[in-house]
Amino acid sequence: MKGFEKYIPFTPQPIENRTWPDKSLTKAPVWCSVDLRDGNQALIDPMNLDEKLEMFHMLVDEIGVKEVEIGFPSASETEYAICRELIEGGHIPDDVTIQVLVQARPHLIRKTFEAIQGAKHVIFHFYNSTSTLQRQVVFRTDVAGVKKIATDAAALIYEMAGPVIQGGMDVRFEYSPESFMGTEMDAAVEICAAVLDELHADQNHRVILNLPTTVENCMPNRFADEIEYFVRNLPGRERAIISLHPHNDRGCGIATTEMALLAGGERVEACLFGNGERTGNADLVTLAMNLYSQGIDPELDFTHMDRIIQMYQRCTKMRVPERHPYAGELVFTAFSGSHQDAINKGFHYMEETGTDKWMVPYLPIDPSDLGRSYEPVRINSQSGKGGAAFIMSHKFGFDMPKAMHREFGAIVQRESDRQGVELKPETIYQLFEQEYLKVDGPYSLIQNKLGADVENGVAHSHFYGKLRHKDTVFEVTGEGNGPIDAFFNAIRGERMDRYEFIDYKEHAISAGSDSQAVAYIQLRNKQGRDIFGVGIDHNISMASIKAILCAINRARSMEHREKEAAKRAGSVGTDSAN
Ligand code: KIV
Ligand code: ZN
């Protein structure tokens, strides 16, 4: 037998004319956080009192969860003490209901009633396992056997709750047929209906029927079929609130929850960042933010995501992975060049059109809704030309002409390939500085004078300069209809005069209170290659002249390097670049 042949495929529940696939989610379900119970019981080191309190306060005070399963008070002294502290310490806001879990066993039920004394609103949650597998392997009983466990517990709970309710506590009931997904649906319906009867459920006293994928062993559509079948066939369906408790063994916990909501679920039990037994419970953050991203109010607040992550990691000693939906460190970052470009365009489009709708490709939601800022672009060897330009513009205020993106992008990509790691914005700036702002030779301007006059309404510029080329100093003068023209006329006849002027761009740039101008010049050499230069100066005309010199110097160095390379390869070039 091959390894996979030992597995028994899931038996789907046949259902005719299912309706859930045609539905859409239009509102948030009732949320119940099971972080302090299901999440906690799955930790290597369960939370201590302080950690549980911290998480409880974050859940109710900041995130806005109204139902919280606080633990399993009959399971241990610690769990009992935490329940008491929450109640006696006045930690529970009046509009929050605590939920306590207990197995369907009489002595544990009694202990749990003791634990909740003094609370205002309580959901008394009991469970027993009902699946075919558990009946056969664990309990060695039939449907009638597990049904009796459930109804006996329900009867005791109803009896014990009477005086407590009379005493003023708001107690509601929740029953979980544990491993529901592996239970024959007719059996699940029969057991749950009997439990509703024992608890005297009616429209005004609805009982929560919590239907778990205790182990996620089928595709989300199969689970949704089960839920639709269950809801259709439950006698007196209006007596129940249909709750979902999906785990994530197949990695489909979110899809399972969402489809099951379409199929009739009204309430969801979930954990922050999908903590929980094995692969975890469904993730509360993703569920809520998926609704949010569709324009639906999730009725939970994750605007301080970083603080929530820090609290979660501190209390659970678990980690939120970098790619965790909505929360991971890398989820609002684009490395790919085409993604970076499209994101950039999305931001520009929104600005240009003034739309109040989110229209940025590759970012499903606005990171600032989670208290995050868009990490504009992060640069690695996969990033394209636009990414480096975006960083230079958004982080450092250099708005390079579009034509220059390719040249600078290639410089950044080479460095990123060389280093084999992501390049930080500071490194990208250093590359820019090295390449364009700190070019020193072969030509340098020792002295210059730039003047302008207007004759008959026409501006006229004069340039005088003393230039150094290696050890030679020479003077040039020229006139033109602007500073760039005057400079080009001044160097006419010099060896620097072998480049065609193509384009020019300038803008102001402020470093602190100091405002300067930056100019970008595009030249073309005789081989048709475009080369860029950048100049910064308080005087815009000087910035352009520096930019021309920068472009010429870069071109000369490039040609020199190429000549050397050709020599090394055994073929000497014809153009001399001294
Ligand atoms: O996963 C599960 O079935 C549970 C029940 C106790 C609700 O956690
Ligand atoms: Zn569970």
Side-chain angles (χ1 to χ4, degrees):
M1 185 161 101
K2 297 201 178 101
F4 58 83
E5 284 174 338
K6 68 172 171 281
Y7 297 108
I8 306 164
F10 177 79
T11 310
Q13 171 60 50
I15 178 168
E16 275 175 19
N17 304 321
R18 56 176 72 70
T19 61
W20 66 263
D22 292 328
K23 295 189 177 159
S24 301
L25 297 179
T26 53
K27 65 178 173 63
V30 173
W31 302 112
C32 173
S33 150
V34 289
D35 289 87
L36 302 182
R37 197 278 299 172
D38 220 346
N40 186 53
Q41 79 187 40
L43 296 176
I44 296 171
D45 296 317
M47 289 181 265
N48 62 28
L49 175 64
D50 287 341
E51 289 162 345
K52 268 205 174 186
L53 289 179
E54 186 181 352
M55 186 176 276
F56 180 82
H57 281 292
M58 176 68 87
L59 285 165
V60 302
D61 301 342
E62 301 213 26
I63 300 173
V65 183
K66 298 293 176 208
E67 296 182 4
V68 181
E69 189 161 85
I70 57 164
F72 207 140
S74 63
S76 72
E77 280 315 307
T78 319
E79 286 283 284
Y80 189 92
I82 290 169
C83 178
R84 293 311 308 154
E85 171 57 28
L86 278 164
I87 297 167
E88 287 166 23
H91 297 279
I92 309 165
D94 283 351
D95 63 346
V96 169
T97 302
I98 55 164
Q99 177 167 312
V100 284
L101 182 71
V102 62
Q103 283 173 355
R105 296 169 70 186
H107 70 290
L108 300 179
I109 290 170
R110 289 195 186 92
K111 178 99 182 163
T112 306
F113 270 108
E114 242 177 59
I116 60 172
Q117 275 172 37
K120 282 204 174 83
H121 308 285
V122 175
I123 295 172
F124 200 99
H125 179 191
F126 66 109
Y127 74 97
N128 67 310
S129 198
T130 56
S131 67
T132 328
L133 181 67
Q134 292 247 21
R135 289 196 319 259
Q136 185 179 342
V137 172
V138 183
F139 301 105
R140 296 181 182 248
T141 184
D142 53 11
V143 172
V146 289
K147 179 175 164 189
K148 183 162 175 0
I149 296 172
T151 50
D152 284 355
L156 176 63
I157 290 167
Y158 185 74
E159 183 194 319
M160 290 193 72
V164 179
I165 293 169
Q166 292 233 306
M169 192 189 296
D170 163 35
V171 182
R172 290 192 285 141
F173 307 119
E174 172 169 334
Y175 171 64
S176 291
E178 204 230 64
S179 56
F180 165 85
M181 74 300 149
T183 307
E184 306 84 334
M185 282 305 107
D186 290 328
V189 166
E190 181 188 331
I191 296 165
C192 288
V195 166
L196 292 182
D197 291 343
E198 286 299 336
L199 293 171
H200 299 251
D202 63 30
Q203 228 165 348
N204 300 319
H205 303 90
R206 291 168 82 198
V207 166
I208 300 168
L209 289 180
N210 187 48
L211 309 177
T213 56
T214 302
V215 175
E216 185 182 60
N217 64 351
C218 63
M219 283 172 60
N221 61 319
R222 295 295 186 205
F223 185 65
D225 279 353
E226 289 192 337
I227 296 292
E228 183 159 344
Y229 182 94
F230 179 91
V231 171
R232 257 191 219 174
N233 289 283
L234 182 71
R237 184 257 172 274
E238 68 291 345
R239 303 180 291 168
I241 293 168
I242 304 299
S243 177
L244 308 166
H245 179 107
H247 278 268
N248 193 37
D249 299 78
R250 295 166 56 96
C252 302
I254 297 295
T256 292
T257 313
E258 290 176 339
M259 290 189 192
L261 283 172
L262 298 178
E266 301 158 274
R267 178 182 188 268
V268 173
E269 296 192 348
C271 284
L272 291 176
F273 309 114
N275 189 27
E277 291 281 14
R278 306 177 308 280
T279 51
N281 289 74
D283 169 25
L284 188 61
V285 175
T286 305
L287 287 169
M289 295 313 298
N290 278 359
L291 290 176
Y292 188 91
S293 72
Q294 296 301 305
I296 299 167
D297 181 359
E299 294 169 24
L300 294 179
D301 183 352
F302 288 108
T303 44
H304 302 292
M305 185 59 88
D306 284 339
R307 267 222 320 275
I308 297 169
I309 294 172
Q310 279 156 21
M311 174 284 299
Y312 170 81
Q313 298 193 151
R314 193 168 51 244
C315 293
T316 62
K317 327 279 183 299
M318 301 282 288
R319 222 173 53 78
V320 175
E322 286 83 347
R323 305 230 178 259
H324 192 100
Y326 302 105
E329 197 199 314
L330 293 180
V331 301
F332 297 118
T333 302
F335 285 96
S336 137
S338 61
H339 292 205
Q340 293 169 353
D341 274 354
I343 290 171
N344 217 346
K345 286 180 178 135
F347 279 120
H348 280 135
Y349 180 85
M350 285 182 63
E351 210 175 295
E352 242 167 62
T353 59
T355 177
D356 57 1
K357 294 294 179 195
W358 182 248
M359 297 184 73
V360 180
Y362 299 109
L363 293 180
I365 65 158
D366 181 350
S368 70
D369 290 351
L370 298 170
R372 287 271 174 81
S373 52
Y374 169 52
E375 273 242 45
V377 159
R378 289 174 66 170
I379 302 297
N380 66 12
S381 57
Q382 302 305 305
S383 311
K385 52 189 168 39
F390 187 91
I391 298 256
M392 286 308 296
S393 161
H394 283 71
K395 279 240 166 199
F396 304 107
F398 286 85
D399 209 356
M400 288 183 249
K402 185 111 182 59
M404 189 178 161
H405 293 190
R406 182 183 296 278
E407 183 188 273
F408 184 54
I411 292 164
V412 170
Q413 197 161 33
R414 251 197 320 276
E415 181 61 12
S416 151
D417 269 337
R418 195 186 66 77
Q419 291 196 22
V421 292
E422 178 198 354
L423 299 186
K424 298 272 171 260
E426 292 65 32
T427 312
I428 290 163
Y429 181 79
Q430 277 163 16
L431 287 172
F432 183 83
E433 201 177 39
Q434 229 167 275
E435 190 68 32
Y436 300 105
L437 305 179
K438 289 189 170 165
V439 182
D440 64 346
Y443 292 98
S444 55
L445 191 58
I446 305 171
Q447 208 185 332
N448 72 279
K449 210 162 125 198
L450 195 61
D453 50 44
V454 180
E455 243 180 73
N456 299 329
V458 180
H460 199 71
S461 298
H462 319 264
F463 178 83
Y464 157 80
K466 202 185 264 183
L467 289 154
R468 184 195 302 280
H469 176 251
K470 296 188 177 167
D471 295 332
T472 317
V473 173
F474 58 100
E475 293 183 19
V476 293
T477 55
E479 299 189 359
N481 52 17
I484 296 177
D485 194 32
F487 181 75
F488 268 102
N489 286 332
I491 60 171
R492 198 170 300 286
E494 300 294 339
R495 302 194 69 175
M496 335 163 48
D497 171 31
R498 48 173 86 162
Y499 305 99
E500 189 190 344
F501 171 84
I502 301 294
D503 208 357
Y504 164 80
K505 176 178 174 175
E506 67 182 39
H507 63 79
I509 183 169
S510 50
S513 57
D514 189 20
S515 179
Q516 303 202 75
V518 57
Y520 310 86
I521 297 281
Q522 182 180 359
L523 301 183
R524 186 164 294 160
N525 71 8
K526 294 232 157 59
Q527 288 73 41
R529 161 106 64 96
D530 285 352
I531 301 118
F532 293 84
V534 181
I536 300 182
D537 202 278
H538 287 103
N539 177 316
I540 183 62
S541 302
M542 271 320 292
S544 334
I545 286 164
K546 283 183 179 174
I548 300 169
L549 260 187
C550 165
I552 293 174
N553 279 331
R554 291 188 63 243
R556 299 309 289 265
S557 315
M558 217 177 287
E559 287 156 2
H560 181 66
R561 276 199 307 274
E562 279 168 8
K563 195 178 151 203
E564 290 299 308
K567 255 194 217 162
R568 276 199 302 278
S571 72
V572 185
T574 49
D575 192 21
S576 73
N578 32 354

